[in-house]
Every structure is written in structure tokens, then in C-alpha cells.
Amino acid sequence: MTAGVDTPDRRGRTGLDRTGRDLTGNPRVRVRDVTLLSSHWYVERTTTFDLQHADGTWSTQERETHDRGNGATVLLHDTARGTVLLTRQFRFPAYVNGHPDGLLIETPGGLLDDEDEHPEAAVRREVVEETGHTIGPVQHVFDVYMSPGSVTERVSFYAAAYGPSTRTHEGGGLDEEGEHIEILELPFPEALRMIRTGGINDAKTIMLLQWAALEGPFAGVSAG
């Protein structure tokens, strides 16, 4: 008996070795087998599949996938004051891979609670938890696979206005999740300059800041 396969894992999940077996969207891919490697919190799998090449020949390949669920993030902007609201928190994976102190500046966001939660609902929840703001209308910008070579996660990107009147809670993250989040309000040109200097090196944050400068709420504004 294997936890996550035929008995519940720590999160009550079973059948985790079934994911991908019923895919039919690409006739040039035939899934042979899925092996569950780990389901401690996120899910690690090895999938064996046959792939048909352009010349018609087939080869058998094996790939590991890291399934952490899907996520959502939002750029909070105040066009009247020319500012954006970002967060700073410790990220151990970045720290262990060369970041000087592991403290990354990011747009607020996080993982969907489950596969049934809509990304917009998730991003609204995360904004309250992390920044203390309750936002109004949100604009969907795009959906992105952030690291498709090994990670299944799809992140939904949004933008929304904020201001003094939208601050309704303390923010700073949830103690029970070990979050200690600092809230940063920056002039938009300064945030753009921090991309150049390496002060902001989180992918989702860079993408939303550049979108904002190209066609979003700060279109035409430069880093100076």
C-alpha cells in the first residue's frame, strides 16, 4: 500500500499516479506509465511516454514533474500617485541557489487553495493576507507556465488599483503559514530601475512591471 496511491497521503489524497494517463489532446504522445515519487506536500511524479517525431518514428521518454498546483499574482497600482505595492519575503530556494539574503521583492499572490478555486478569488484572498488591501475590479493580463520543463504550475496574472481607501486589514501574511511579509510601496520608475540593478529579480514581478510600462496602467513611463 502506497500513500497517495491507494491510501490517503498527509493531505488526504489518493490516485495521484493517475494524473496524465487519460490525456488525448496530442495524438503524438502516448502515456505508458506514471509513478508517484513523493506527495509530502507537493507531488513528484515520473511519467514514461512514447513521443512521435516529425519523421514519423517513435521514441520512449521519461520525465519528472513537480506539481505544486496553480497560482495567481497581481500588480497593485496607484496611477494617481504613480506607485506600485509590492512585498518582500524570505525565499529559501532562492537563498540556497545564490541569492545574497533570500529576501525577494515580489507582486503579491500565491497558490490556489485547490483545483476548484478560481484564480481571481485566490489573488483577492492573497492580497488581503499579504498587503491588507481589499481590491475592487481586477484585470486579467495573461496566464503563464513559469517553468514548463519540469514544473506543472500555471500562473494567472492580474492587475488592480489600490489606494489609501482599500487598506482594510493589517497584512503581513499568515502566522500559521510561517509568513513574515514586508509591504513595499515604490514609485513605478524606481521599480523599473530595480529590474536593471538586480533589486527585483522575481520573474512574475518583472513580467507585470514590464507589461505595465508597455501597455498597462503606466504605459509610456520609463525608468529614467
Side-chain angles (χ1 to χ4, degrees), residues 13 66 82 110 131 153 200:
R13 299 170 296 190
H66 177 75
T131 72
E153 182 184 23
I200 293 178

Side-chain angles (χ1 to χ4, degrees), residues 119-136:
E120 182 179 323
V123 86
R124 291 181 179 278
R125 167 175 48 78
E126 291 289 340
V127 167
V128 172
E129 293 175 2
E130 294 187 4
T131 72
H133 286 260
T134 300
I135 53 177

Side-chain angles (χ1 to χ4, degrees), residues 9-185:
D9 67 2
R10 60 178 292 182
R11 298 182 66 184
R13 299 170 296 190
T14 58
L16 295 177
D17 61 329
R18 305 305 303 172
T19 299
R21 292 180 182 269
D22 58 352
L23 293 173
T24 59
N26 189 340
R28 296 172 58 185
V29 178
R30 300 172 181 168
V31 175
R32 285 174 169 260
D33 190 34
V34 180
T35 301
L36 178 67
L37 301 177
S38 172
S39 62
H40 178 69
W41 185 256
Y42 304 137
V43 181
E44 305 281 349
R45 301 179 179 89
T46 294
T47 300
T48 304
F49 58 92
D50 294 333
L51 176 67
Q52 186 181 36
H53 301 278
D55 63 1
T57 62
W58 291 80
S59 66
T60 299
Q61 301 189 12
E62 187 177 82
R63 294 289 185 273
E64 288 188 11
T65 56
H66 177 75
D67 183 353
R68 63 193 301 269
N70 294 322
T73 188
V74 61
L75 179 67
L76 299 177
H77 56 82
D78 185 334
T79 54
R81 296 188 299 132
T83 59
V84 291
L85 198 66
L86 303 174
T87 65
R88 179 159 52 201
Q89 60 182 308
F90 178 71
R91 298 297 199 183
F92 181 77
Y95 184 48
V96 78
N97 194 33
H99 191 280
D101 57 14
L103 294 171
L104 265 64
I105 297 175
E106 308 175 37
T107 50
L111 295 176
L112 280 56
D113 273 348
D114 55 58
E115 61 183 17
D116 294 324
E117 184 178 32
H118 193 280
E120 182 179 323
V123 86
R124 291 181 179 278
R125 167 175 48 78
E126 291 289 340
V127 167
V128 172
E129 293 175 2
E130 294 187 4
T131 72
H133 286 260
T134 300
I135 53 177
V138 298
Q139 176 184 358
H140 178 249
V141 180
F142 39 62
D143 298 318
V144 176
Y145 292 94
M146 298 295 288
S147 186
S150 59
V151 182
T152 62
E153 182 184 23
R154 182 180 64 249
V155 179
S156 297
F157 287 67
Y158 294 90
Y162 83 98
S165 65
T166 62
R167 183 72 182 269
T168 58
H169 298 75
E170 181 177 356
L174 300 179
D175 291 339
E176 60 266 30
E177 294 184 5
E179 295 178 329
H180 303 281
I181 298 173
E182 181 183 358
I183 304 167
L184 301 177
E185 184 173 62

